[in-house]
Amino acid sequence: RSVYDDQPNAHQRFMEKLDACIRNHDREIEKMCNFHHQGFVDAITELLKVRAGAEKLKVQVTDTNRRLQDAGKEVISQTEEIIRCRIQQRNITTVVEKLQLCLPVLEMYSKLKEQMKVKRYYSALKTMEQLENQYLPRVSQYRFCQIMIENLPKLREEIKEISMSDLKDFLESIRKHSDRIGETAMKQAQQQKTFSTALQKQNNVNYSRNVHLGRSRILESKNEMTLKRTLEEDDEYEEEVLTAQDLVDFSPVYRCLHIYSVLGDGEIFENYYRKQRRKQARLVLQPQSSMHETVEGYRRYFSQIVGFFVVEDHILHVTQGLVTRTYTDELWNMALSKIIAVLRTHSSYCSDPDLVLELKNLIVVFADTLQGYGFPVNRLFDLLFEIRDQYNETLLKKWSGLFRDIFEADNYSPIPVANEEEYKIIISKFPFQDPELDKQSFPKKLPMSQSVPQIYIQVKEFIYASLKFSESLHRSSTEIDDMLRKSTNLLLTRTLSSCLQNLIKKPHIGLTELVQIIINTTHLEQACKYLEDFISNITNISQVTVHTARLYGLSTFKDARHAAEGEIYTKLNQKIDEFIQIADYDWTMSESDGRASGYLMDLINFLRSTFQVFTHLPGKVAQTACMSACQHLSTSLMQMLLDSELKQISMGAIQQFNLDVIQCELFASSEPVPGFQGDTLQLAFIDLRQLLDLFMVWDWSTYLADYGQATSKYLRVNPSTALTLLEKMRDSSKKNNIFAPFRKNDRDKQKLIETVVKQLRSLVNGMSQHT
């Protein structure tokens, strides 16, 4: 270490010491060599001696080896043969062992091929699973095994494709057979309901819903591949009723489900199946455009839907997880909304009540069938109430036409009855009772016309038709009774009432017909209580029940009677106006004819004959008609006098007019309609009478003096009316000098008229200011 120190000449001293050390070692080596040299020499000498012996030994060894080689050639040959045989034996043993391992694999693969050939795909998958898990791992080092391993996924895909193809064929098959399946299920539901109804009737039990298909019976003999069951034989036809399982082979579904489950793709298969069935559901729920035209269109539509859900219900109960109750409920709710929308739309086009009734029956069977499979159908029965309203509307339209035809064919004359047999026939059709008429001998006449019993019969037929729809709706007798009464009320208050109103307004219906219509409505009104009894007998619901509705026939026929009465008043007034229009007064005549005008006598004769017909009417109706006619006649005569187009009127015209009014008063006093008290009817002409009296006696001083007093002789004479008429007479006197007999007093008379006119004008002006 001191070499590296920083001392001067350290390296030199190190080298010197190193040389001295080397020299010491060389001297020791030399001593050692000198010490062993003699031994080395001895060894060399010894080797030289051995050398000759070694040469000799070599020759001997070589000779011995040659002899051994010659002697061992045969042994070597035999030994090699033995070795070769043992190698072959070992190889054979190895091959046998390997073949024993490979033969089961080959046998399983052969079995797999055979299963594929005979389409036993589920078994083939099981074989593949054994190959992969048990056999192939043992011999995986062989090339043929690698080929097998590579082929197995392809075979799986082939099985999946084949099973999926079978499933598609199955889906197409059930799509074609849905209507047959549904028709079979609906037929069975009808038979079950018919049997239950007959049994209940036999035991005197009220009808209640008993349509259950019994899923336990449906699933009695199911198995993995095919499910078969038989139904009860139809008692009438004694033929077996086929079921969905008989019509469709469900094995493709089971096979495909098992295959996909084994392959671990069960969820994929479930999603595919549900997706395809949803598509088919939309197709099934899509109606044909002309479905509403025939009942067969509806029947096919319902059969397809029932068939679809019968299949789904079967799949639900024979498979695990392919479809779930949640899935079927969701699918049914979607379908139900679509069905209701379709039925609501298409039923609105139905104008034939028979078609609507058949549609209702189909809906009931459809609902009962699906309810038997566990699907909720309350919304369908709610829809039936909407369709019931549609059915009632079609019935009302149909019966409206029937009522019109009856009214058109009626002669509006009392029904003649020739003998007891005819009388009993009519009484059997219409509840008519009249003790007074019973006492009369034949032939006789019933007060109503032929339309009354016909209308009554048609109302009963309507009730029967309405009842047909209420049947099988699973409603209580009280509800059915209420439905019948409401629909009958609609028939009376809307349809029949409208027909009566239209009939009354028709131009060809005269006074005689109107009188008969009033009589008819009276008898129809009285018959309403029999209609109520008729409904009660059908439904077995007493009328004393608190919630029992009443028929509105009373108000219906009262309204019709009032309309007929009003039409009588109107037609009477129109007839009076027709007579008034042909009046031909000479308003400037010097003196009257001395007798009443011809038009007025014709009018009075018409009124007399008309009021004779009114004897069959209720007293107040005839009295009101008579009073209305007299008032209208009085008003028309007054308007004739005060017509603005009439500019002049002579005293002779006044006298002639007075004669006509006297005839009107005589007609009123002759009591054309019994029941008036005193001179009530004559009061209709009091305004005319006081006005004409005033002009006839020319009692202006009394009129002007007593005007405004309750005891005035001319209390009903209005100043403006008197002024208008007086001005017309004044103008006539100026032109025609109608006061010729009083020629010496013409100036005074004219002055008097002027004075009266001024006073009347002042009265009229005073009344205007007061007003």
Side-chain angles (χ1 to χ4, degrees), residues 287-331:
Q288 296 181 354
S289 58
S290 60
M291 184 180 73
H292 62 277
E293 295 177 357
T294 61
V295 70
E296 287 302 321
Y298 288 108
R299 192 187 306 278
R300 180 175 176 80
Y301 181 68
F302 288 136
S303 298
Q304 289 178 343
I305 296 173
V306 170
F308 178 89
F309 283 100
V310 166
V311 170
E312 289 304 288
D313 182 78
H314 178 75
I315 294 294
L316 172 66
H317 290 90
V318 299
T319 61
Q320 294 181 352
L322 180 55
V323 295
T324 63
R325 174 56 67 183
T326 302
Y327 161 78
T328 56
D329 289 345
E330 178 185 351
L331 199 61

Side-chain angles (χ1 to χ4, degrees), residues 13 82 99 106 175 248 311 460 487 489 522 601 629 697:
R13 287 194 303 272
I82 291 172
L99 285 176
L106 296 173
R175 175 73 180 91
V248 179
V311 170
K460 291 175 67 175
S487 58
N489 277 330
T522 302
M601 296 307 298
V697 299

Side-chain angles (χ1 to χ4, degrees), residues 684-749:
F685 301 97
I686 189 65
D687 291 353
L688 267 176
R689 172 47 50 211
Q690 290 187 7
L691 179 63
L692 291 174
D693 286 347
L694 176 60
F695 278 86
M696 291 294 294
V697 299
W698 208 252
D699 194 7
W700 291 105
S701 58
T702 303
Y703 173 74
L704 294 172
D706 295 342
Y707 178 74
Q709 298 180 11
T711 59
S712 174
K713 180 180 178 180
Y714 305 101
L715 181 63
R716 306 297 294 270
V717 178
N718 190 293
S720 61
T721 302
L723 176 61
T724 301
L725 189 56
L726 188 58
E727 286 179 340
K728 292 180 180 182
M729 291 184 67
R730 181 189 63 181
D731 294 340
S732 177
S733 65
K734 287 181 180 180
K735 183 175 182 180
N736 299 324
N737 195 14
I738 62 173
F739 296 107
F742 308 99
R743 192 172 301 276
K744 60 179 181 178
N745 297 322
D746 284 347
R747 187 176 299 174
D748 295 337
K749 193 71 172 180

Side-chain angles (χ1 to χ4, degrees), residues 125 128 152-153 155-161 163 256-266:
L125 288 176
M128 287 185 196
L152 290 181
L155 291 176
R156 283 195 177 92
E157 290 299 322
E158 182 181 352
I159 291 174
K160 287 176 66 175
E161 291 176 359
S163 62
C256 200
L257 175 60
H258 292 160
I259 288 170
Y260 272 77
S261 299
V262 169
L263 296 177
D265 294 333

Side-chain angles (χ1 to χ4, degrees), residues 206-207 467 470 474-485 535-536 538-542 548:
N206 290 332
Y207 178 73
L467 177 64
S470 300
H474 312 313
R475 297 294 172 178
S476 65
S477 298
T478 304
E479 290 175 306
I480 294 176
D481 182 89
D482 187 59
M483 293 177 193
L484 290 180
R485 292 178 186 272
I535 295 175
S536 297
I538 291 177
T539 59
N540 292 325
I541 297 298
S542 175
T548 301

Side-chain angles (χ1 to χ4, degrees), residues 162-175:
I162 293 173
S163 62
M164 185 57 69
S165 176
D166 291 344
L167 177 67
K168 291 178 180 179
D169 293 340
F170 166 79
L171 294 175
E172 181 64 24
S173 174
I174 61 174
R175 175 73 180 91

